[in-house]
Amino acid sequence: MRTSMLRSLARRTSTAGTRRGFASESAPDRKVAILGAAGGIGQPLSLLMKLNPLVSRLALYDIAGTPGVAADVSHINTRSEILGYAGEEQLGKALEGADVVIIPAGVPRKPGMTRDDLFNINAGIVKSLCTAIAKYCPHALVNVISNPVNSTVPIASEVFKKAGTYDEKRLFGVTTLDVVRAKTFYAGKAKVNVADVIVPVVGGHAGVTILPLFSQATPSANLSSEEIEALTKRTQDGGTEVVEAKAGKGSATLSMAYAGAIFADACLKGLNGVPDVVECSFVQSTVTDLPFFASKVRLGKNGVEEVLGLGALSDYEKEGLEALKPELKSSIEKGIKFAHA
Ligand SMILES: NC(=O)C1=CN([C@@H]2O[C@H](COP(=O)(O)OP(=O)(O)OC[C@H]3O[C@@H](n4cnc5c(N)ncnc54)[C@H](O)[C@@H]3O)[C@@H](O)[C@H]2O)C=CC1
Ligand SMILES: O=C([O-])CC(=O)C(=O)O
């Protein structure tokens, strides 16, 4: 997205005052809905999705505060039409016809909390939003950002199963921020150009369940095992690093909005038939014995086209993989149990 988005922005700016930039759009119509659009992630994510030329309609939904965000973002001279919706009675309208639904609704952590501490509030929010998705846009690709992702994605799957709309190809836990962090931290340590870095991050999205595969990182670098361990730990604790720095004012919002925009863009490209779109995501999986697992996923016209395997792991990564399984298993089971209660 990075280059295409900037190119498109530059084009719009250079044609300011004319309609030329708009008339040349050839991408198909795509509606994206953001649920939780007035929040810390929701607002910058709304901005970034407004800059994405693949979006023709952008629906911004929250329980309150969306008219202001929608009015503000709507003045930006890019392709998409902005639609603002506030309050539960408008949720159906926000969702109708959506191709991609992004969910950053829910409470964020404060220092001292784990992501699982958010379960009690966010599980119910995700359950009710997914119930509405099943009703109003059952074929949309659903990008779940709300934490704890390791549980909220299984909750979403159970809600969709119950409604008879579940398609495992269309449900994604957004773990892109782990990849974004792994790339940044690796580039700093390996002294390589960050724009060239590729690092898969697998497992889940909480603490030790986040497993960056630095042995597969490119460009390759001769890092010591101590350096790899430190990079792994920093990636696993990246969220906590931000929570502590914000000191009670929430968790990552700007970097998450960036990551969410990258992942939604990949979903849109896949829907539009762009070949070889691959991103890591927490999806239904047979890569391990766990029913959900984050790994590289090829995106296509129906969502997940292929869940890719883990590739060769170092001994350190093999240990990490075994160590993460009990926590990830219990978080998945907790979500499934909640959805059935
Ligand atoms: N997957 C990931 O990598 C990351 C996930 N997160 C998670 O994203 C979530 C949101 O974080 P922030 O934006 O910082 O929180 P925030 O509190 O700033 O914003 C959340 C928004 O959700 C809205 N909301 C609450 N209930 C809703 C409902 N039923 N329907 C629609 N909107 C509703 C609120 O009104 C608020 O505007 C948290 O659960 C956080 O842990 C945060 C960073 C990274
Ligand atoms: O740490 C948190 O609570 C928010 C999050 O998921 C992240 O920044 O990775």
Side-chain angles (χ1 to χ4, degrees):
M1 178 188 74
R2 287 130 285 202
T3 42
S4 64
M5 194 167 87
L6 289 174
R7 217 181 295 125
S8 139
L9 250 181
R11 179 159 47 86
R12 299 268 156 64
T13 311
S14 68
T15 57
T18 79
R19 297 284 297 175
R20 282 192 294 140
F22 296 82
S24 64
E25 296 296 353
S26 58
D29 284 348
R30 294 289 177 202
K31 176 175 172 179
V32 173
I34 301 180
L35 312 184
I41 296 167
Q43 292 202 35
L45 181 59
S46 301
L47 165 64
L48 293 174
M49 294 315 293
K50 174 66 173 135
L51 302 185
N52 189 319
L54 300 181
V55 183
S56 55
R57 275 183 302 158
L58 183 58
L60 306 182
Y61 171 80
D62 205 302
I63 45 178
T66 15
V69 179
D72 190 354
V73 168
S74 73
H75 290 185
I76 296 170
N77 59 318
T78 55
R79 179 188 181 200
S80 53
E81 179 191 359
I82 297 293
L83 312 147
Y85 301 96
E88 225 175 287
E89 63 290 349
Q90 298 196 357
L91 178 56
K93 277 267 168 287
L95 291 173
E96 260 168 21
D99 297 288
V100 176
V101 179
I102 316 175
I103 313 183
V107 290
R109 283 200 284 165
K110 289 193 186 327
M113 292 170 80
T114 66
R115 290 180 182 80
D116 186 58
D117 292 332
L118 305 172
F119 186 97
N120 287 344
I121 298 178
N122 291 353
I125 293 174
V126 170
K127 189 176 175 186
S128 70
L129 292 175
C130 288
T131 303
I133 290 169
K135 184 166 174 198
Y136 294 105
C137 55
H139 302 299
L141 303 194
V142 179
N143 295 184
V144 181
I145 292 173
S146 316
N147 271 316
V149 166
N150 292 354
S151 302
T152 51
V153 170
I155 290 171
S157 77
E158 293 305 307
V159 170
F160 296 149
K161 278 181 202 161
K162 206 164 162 192
T165 65
Y166 184 52
D167 178 353
E168 73 275 10
K169 293 185 168 58
R170 294 173 183 270
L171 176 61
F172 304 88
V174 182
T175 58
T176 319
L177 182 52
D178 301 317
V179 177
V180 164
R181 286 177 177 141
K183 287 179 173 178
T184 304
F185 303 157
Y186 178 85
K189 192 56 90 182
K191 306 216 170 11
V192 293
N193 183 355
V194 71
D196 298 334
V197 173
I198 297 175
V199 187
V201 182
V202 303
H205 179 68
V208 297
T209 71
I210 300 167
L211 184 63
L213 304 180
F214 288 114
S215 70
Q216 297 175 18
T218 56
S220 64
N222 227 345
L223 298 180
S224 68
S225 52
E226 290 75 25
E227 285 172 315
I228 296 288
E229 273 178 46
L231 280 176
T232 302
K233 183 112 188 49
R234 188 165 180 214
T235 306
Q236 292 174 332
D237 294 342
T240 306
E241 186 178 317
V242 179
V243 168
E244 280 168 5
K246 289 199 175 179
K249 296 227 160 62
S251 55
T253 53
L254 304 173
S255 50
M256 180 59 235
Y258 171 75
I262 296 272
F263 190 71
D265 180 69
C267 287
L268 290 164
K269 286 194 176 118
L271 287 176
N272 290 353
V274 175
D276 284 326
V277 180
V278 174
E279 290 290 339
C280 290
S281 180
F282 185 66
V283 294
Q284 183 175 312
S285 174
T286 54
V287 163
T288 67
D289 47 354
L290 298 172
F292 291 90
F293 198 82
S295 66
K296 285 197 279 187
V297 167
R298 190 184 311 284
L299 294 155
K301 291 188 174 173
N302 300 305
V304 175
E305 200 141 272
E306 187 185 1
V307 179
L308 300 167
L310 298 181
L313 304 185
S314 68
D315 287 344
Y316 176 65
E317 290 159 0
K318 281 182 195 156
E319 275 170 36
L321 177 61
E322 289 317 306
L324 72 79
K325 285 183 180 172
E327 178 182 330
L328 187 49
K329 182 170 187 285
S330 91
S331 298
I332 292 169
E333 285 169 356
K334 186 173 176 180
I336 292 173
K337 195 166 156 218
F338 171 85
H340 286 282

